[in-house]
């Protein structure tokens, strides 16, 4: 078939709003523009990914290359139009993913293939137009990796989803027949895989989402009826999962985002009204989910991106004006979130990528990257593991403004019904790595200031209720460090009876 560009129309009128001050929540910095690496230009990204080391991967759709930007802002070219140099080129790179070993994958929309770039820079083709030899690959859009290393690829042109096993074996896991019960799959786009290896697939033109178990059972978890309460679903573009198993889906045609809970309950969490403050959300396209539930959504038509917090609060984090320093955002598409809570948003037609720092930056994680007191590592940005088997997580919503004083801390993964305290410190401990304290890592340094005592609920969650800037005596321009200490008196992994979450660094503004 003849492959056309993905449907993302150029909207000239949106750019006219570039000078409006939309009250962004967080610092916005342009980290990549059309100049690319200097030697290789950058042509705009539909999708983004972030490596565990914090390198942002941006496929240049118009420049046929893949560029990485590390935490220090250094840029490198991973692969260009020549592909593997053995006749397998890269044309219209549209999706990228990275596995646990650091191998980077990139899908070519026009070249109908998937290339792998090893940590050493060796490029090879892992899937080509021939597909599995029976079903062909055409216009791949989505990539997702399973815990066992299997790579899933959505073929939007042939309505198939392929699996590439670590051995290199290729198979079809879902085809046009969908579930075989009358629910067809048409133009699969978004892919996501949960911790159990269950695959989720969104149909762009079939307006549905399928679930495929590791055993091969297929069912539909979302269809065009949406939530069944009058909020329809159309144009499934992107998918994302949080640690609790909640699935998030963008409906680009219906201008909304849905959450599908593990039990099947469906709720609309974003609609065309955006934040309700005049910042609309039209054509939600890219989506990324932080491990503990915050969602970033890029909206193409309105050239902006929103954060949806776990409590349902919607905040515009970047708008058409971009960094308000000459780097505008035009037709936002790709998004990603790193382990520090920083979001990345790509402007397809402005040919750039922005880093959006939220109200607080997470650090001092008790996961596999750091040594916990008794090898009790948590996962994905949490503190060290407690008696529940996971670690406590401290996040923030609101604005880090002294005048507004609306910043709120939220704890997840603490021990149910146990007391704890929100603590403020002046600096980070041990250069941000933390020091052993109880069953966890103390992340703050200096005389600790207890801002508030509280008790976790039955789910191990807690929320601050005091005005944090006022309680901490903070002035505009100051940086403070925060953590949540909590009791763990029964069966704690190290036996100390207490533990801590990750740390948060907040740069307070006027």
């Amino acid at each position: 078939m003849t492959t056309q560009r993905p449907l993302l129309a150029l909207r000239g009128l949106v750019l006219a709003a570039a000078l409006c001050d939309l009250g962004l929540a967080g610092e916005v910095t342009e980290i990549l523009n059309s100049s690319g690496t200097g030697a290789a230009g950058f042509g705009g990204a539909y999708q983004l990914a972030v490596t565990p080391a914090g390198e942002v991967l941006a496929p240049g759709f118009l420049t046929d290359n893949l560029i990485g930007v590390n935490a220090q802002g250094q840029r490198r070219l991973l692969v260009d139009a020549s592909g593997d140099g053995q006749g397998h080129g890269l044309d219209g790179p549209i999706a990228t993913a990275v596995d646990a070993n650091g191998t980077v994958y990139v899908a070519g929309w026009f070249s109908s293939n998937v290339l792998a770039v090893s940590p050493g820079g060796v490029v090879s083709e892992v899937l080509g137009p021939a597909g599995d030899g029976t079903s062909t690959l055409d216009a791949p859009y989505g990539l997702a990796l399973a815990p066992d290393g299997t790579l899933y690829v959505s073929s939007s042109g042939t309505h198939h989803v392929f699996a590439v096993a670590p051995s290199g074996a290729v198979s079809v896991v879902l085809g046009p027949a969908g579930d075989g019960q009358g629910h067809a799959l048409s133009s699969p786009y978004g892919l996501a895989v949960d911790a159990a290896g269950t695959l989720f697939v969104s149909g762009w033109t079939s307006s549905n989402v399928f679930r495929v178990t590791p055993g091969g059972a297929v069912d539909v978890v979302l269809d065009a009826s949406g939530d069944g309460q009058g909020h329809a679903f159309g144009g499934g573009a992107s998918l994302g999962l949080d640690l609790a198993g909640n699935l998030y889906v963008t409906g680009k045609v219906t201008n909304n985002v849905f959450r599908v809970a593990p039990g099947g309950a469906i709720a609309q969490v974003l609609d065309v009204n955006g934040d309700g403050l005049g910042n609309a959300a039209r054509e939600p396209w890219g989506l990324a989910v932080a491990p503990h539930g915050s969602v970033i959504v890029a909206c193409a038509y309105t050239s902006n991106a929103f954060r949806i917090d776990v409590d349902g609060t919607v905040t515009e984090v970047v708008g058409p004006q971009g960094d308000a320093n000459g780097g505008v955002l035009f037709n936002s598409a790709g998004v990603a979130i790193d382990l520090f809570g920083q979001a990345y948003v790509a402007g397809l037609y402005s040919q750039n990528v922005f880093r959006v720092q939220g109200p607080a930056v997470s650090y001092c994680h008790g996961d596999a990257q750091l040594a916990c007191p008794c090898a009790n590592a948590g996962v994905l940005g949490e503190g060290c593991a407690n008696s529940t088997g996971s670690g406590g997580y401290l996040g923030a919503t609101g604005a880090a403004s002294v005048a507004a004083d609306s910043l709120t801390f939220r704890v997840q993964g603490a021990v149910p019904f146990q007391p704890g305290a929100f603590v403020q410190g002046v600096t980070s401990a041990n250069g941000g790595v933390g020091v052993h304290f109880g069953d966890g890592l103390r992340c703050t340094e200096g005389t600790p200031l207890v801002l508030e005592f509280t008790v976790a609920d039955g789910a191990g969650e807690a929320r601050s209720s005091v005005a944090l800037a006022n309680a901490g005596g903070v002035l505009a321009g100051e940086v403070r460090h925060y953590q949540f200490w909590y009791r763990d008196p029964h069966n704690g992994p190290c036996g100390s009876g207490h533990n801590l979450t990750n740390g948060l660094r907040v740069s307070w503004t006027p």
Side-chain angles (χ1 to χ4, degrees), residues 134-150:
T134 301
S135 301
T136 58
L137 174 68
D138 182 55
Y141 184 85
L143 296 177
L145 284 153
D148 67 357
T150 298

Side-chain angles (χ1 to χ4, degrees), residues 143-375:
L143 296 177
L145 284 153
D148 67 357
T150 298
L151 175 70
Y152 291 101
V153 184
S154 62
S155 176
S156 67
T158 58
H159 319 298
H160 288 87
V161 177
F162 293 93
V164 182
S167 65
V170 180
S171 60
V172 171
V173 295
L174 192 64
D179 63 359
Q181 304 296 318
H183 304 109
L185 172 66
S186 180
S187 299
Y189 266 30
L191 300 174
V193 186
D194 69 14
T198 298
L199 171 70
F200 296 87
V201 181
S202 67
W204 166 252
T205 53
S206 52
S207 295
N208 49 13
V209 177
F210 292 90
R211 175 172 51 201
V212 184
T213 69
V218 180
D219 66 343
V220 175
V221 298
L222 182 66
D223 61 22
S225 67
D227 62 3
Q229 304 296 316
H231 305 119
F233 169 65
S238 298
L239 300 175
L241 286 157
D242 65 19
L243 287 179
N246 294 298
L247 176 71
Y248 294 86
V249 188
T250 56
K252 182 171 179 288
V253 174
T254 45
N255 298 311
N256 52 10
V257 176
F258 290 92
R259 180 183 62 236
V260 182
I266 300 170
Q268 180 179 259
V269 296
L270 180 70
D271 63 17
V272 70
N273 295 311
D275 61 5
L277 300 174
N279 303 309
R282 293 189 180 276
E283 298 186 0
W285 186 265
L287 176 149
V289 184
H292 293 271
S294 294
V295 181
I296 301 293
V297 180
C299 297
Y301 188 97
T302 41
S303 294
N304 55 1
F306 295 89
R307 185 182 69 242
I308 307 170
D309 290 316
V310 290
D311 62 1
T313 302
V314 177
T315 305
E316 186 187 60
V317 296
V318 63
Q321 77 276 30
D323 62 5
N325 193 35
V328 300
L329 176 63
F330 194 10
N331 273 31
S332 42
V335 293
I337 300 175
D338 66 20
L339 289 181
F340 301 100
Q342 298 178 123
Y344 300 88
V345 181
L348 182 64
Y349 287 106
S350 50
Q351 300 182 40
N352 53 7
V353 177
F354 295 93
R355 179 180 62 239
V356 182
Q357 180 179 310
V361 176
S362 179
Y363 72 101
C364 187
H365 303 144
D367 52 28
Q369 301 175 41
L370 298 174
C372 289
C374 58

Side-chain angles (χ1 to χ4, degrees), residues 359-398:
V361 176
S362 179
Y363 72 101
C364 187
H365 303 144
D367 52 28
Q369 301 175 41
L370 298 174
C372 289
C374 58
N376 55 318
V379 295
L380 294 171
E382 299 173 344
C384 298
N386 55 45
S387 59
T388 70
S390 64
Y393 174 80
L394 179 64
T397 60

Side-chain angles (χ1 to χ4, degrees), residues 99-110:
D99 69 16
N101 299 317
T103 298
V104 173
Y105 300 90
V106 59
W109 174 269
F110 294 118

Side-chain angles (χ1 to χ4, degrees), residues 41-77:
F42 172 67
Y46 277 94
Q47 299 178 62
L48 300 172
V50 183
T51 71
E55 182 178 33
V56 181
L57 303 174
F61 186 77
L62 302 177
T63 45
D64 300 327
N65 56 13
L66 178 65
I67 292 176
V69 184
N70 68 17
Q72 291 71 45
Q74 298 169 323
R75 305 166 184 176
R76 65 172 178 137
L77 178 69

